[in-house]
Amino acid sequence: DAGITQSPRHKVTETGTPVTLRCHQTENHRYMYWYRQDPGHGLRLIHYSYGVKDTDKGEVSDGYSVSRSKTEDFLLTLESATSSQTSVYFCATEGGGTDTQYFGPGTRLTVL
Amino acid sequence: SQQGEEDPQALSIQEGENATMNCSYKTSINNLQWYRQNSGRGLVHLILIRSNEREKHSGRLRVTLDTSKKSSSLLITASRAADTASYFCATDDRDDKIIFGKGTRLHILP
């Protein structure tokens, strides 16, 4: 995961505040994904991108939006954070025709 | 959406023993992957097996795929303390997105 970074790595915020998580890759991969990981649920796909300005919803997209203005960056925004969005968020990339995903180190978000 | 389901949910074995975990899925797939996640880290890809393959090896890892039973197994031979982690299977859905199971937590006892 050396080529994928996430920021911030930890964040505590209050209900109702906007939050933006950033994923940055140096792999030049076309596809990028945002997942959340919660006990008992495994990884669930929030949104994904198949190119600059091309994004689509995943399994649990309500309350989240994304943007991808450059190949390297994929932003996840919680417009108005809720306690149910307390989770660990992972970014992943996929490219080179390998069908393999490469994960970032994760962001632990706590919404009080 | 289809999802791989790992079994068992948790497994504890002695160092040096072999560890086997299984994954079952619901609909036809193009490929199946296994990933490892160490505590507090992101997932790391271990191995991919395509639907026309039955067995694949990578170091101490052996993966089998039985498409007639819609199941796969991951065998880790001669386990080490460093193998303590969660292991996830991942299958592709009809939109070619990867769907992850909930994982097997493997604990290697010294």
Side-chain angles (χ1 to χ4, degrees):
Chain A
D1 59 342
I4 304 167
T5 56
Q6 293 184 230
S7 59
R9 294 292 314 279
H10 301 271
K11 185 170 182 67
V12 179
T13 191
E14 293 189 349
T15 298
T17 60
V19 175
T20 296
L21 309 183
R22 179 182 184 238
C23 177
H24 179 78
Q25 59 138 332
T26 58
E27 308 296 324
N28 200 34
H29 284 167
R30 176 183 175 189
Y31 297 93
M32 296 186 76
Y33 304 84
W34 276 108
Y35 294 92
R36 60 178 289 173
Q37 186 175 33
D38 305 286
H41 290 279
L43 270 84
R44 293 181 290 175
L45 181 65
I46 305 171
H47 280 280
Y48 65 100
S49 169
Y50 42 93
V52 174
K53 292 187 169 56
D54 290 324
T55 64
D56 206 346
K57 296 178 180 179
E59 179 186 356
V60 290
S61 59
D62 286 349
Y64 302 95
S65 62
V66 290
S67 66
R68 191 167 178 203
S69 58
K70 299 186 290 185
T71 299
E72 312 89 88
D73 294 322
F74 193 32
L75 303 181
L76 177 71
T77 297
L78 291 65
E79 302 290 346
S80 177
T82 68
S83 58
S84 64
Q85 293 176 312
T86 291
S87 186
V88 180
Y89 292 85
F90 287 99
C91 171
T93 70
E94 180 184 333
T98 63
D99 294 331
T100 296
Q101 292 195 4
Y102 300 88
F103 282 78
T107 293
R108 183 173 295 276
L109 176 68
T110 302
V111 183
L112 302 175
Chain B
S1 60
Q2 94 171 9
Q3 180 184 53
E5 196 167 310
E6 294 90 345
D7 172 63
Q9 290 187 346
L11 177 64
S12 292
I13 61 171
Q14 294 294 138
E15 191 168 10
E17 293 180 341
N18 295 341
T20 299
M21 52 207 88
N22 305 293
C23 172
S24 59
Y25 56 92
K26 295 177 184 150
T27 62
S28 61
I29 59 172
N30 294 313
N31 61 61
L32 184 145
Q33 304 182 55
W34 285 92
Y35 288 77
R36 182 188 74 232
Q37 184 180 32
N38 292 94
S39 181
R41 308 286 295 274
L43 277 69
V44 174
H45 180 257
L46 294 176
I47 197 164
L48 179 151
I49 186 165
R50 300 205 180 275
S51 60
N52 60 353
E53 298 175 309
R54 291 297 167 259
E55 188 170 312
K56 206 160 180 180
H57 296 255
S58 177
R60 294 184 295 113
L61 306 180
R62 172 179 168 246
V63 169
T64 61
L65 179 64
D66 187 334
T67 53
S68 67
K69 294 181 180 177
K70 292 186 171 60
S71 68
S72 172
S73 68
L74 170 67
L75 168 68
I76 304 173
T77 61
S79 63
R80 305 167 181 170
D83 295 327
T84 292
S86 291
Y87 293 82
F88 296 85
C89 71
T91 54
D92 54 333
D93 69 5
R94 54 177 61 91
D95 296 322
D96 286 333
K97 292 194 298 297
I98 293 177
I99 307 294
F100 289 87
K102 296 179 183 178
T104 291
R105 294 187 311 278
L106 175 64
H107 186 204
I108 308 300
L109 303 168

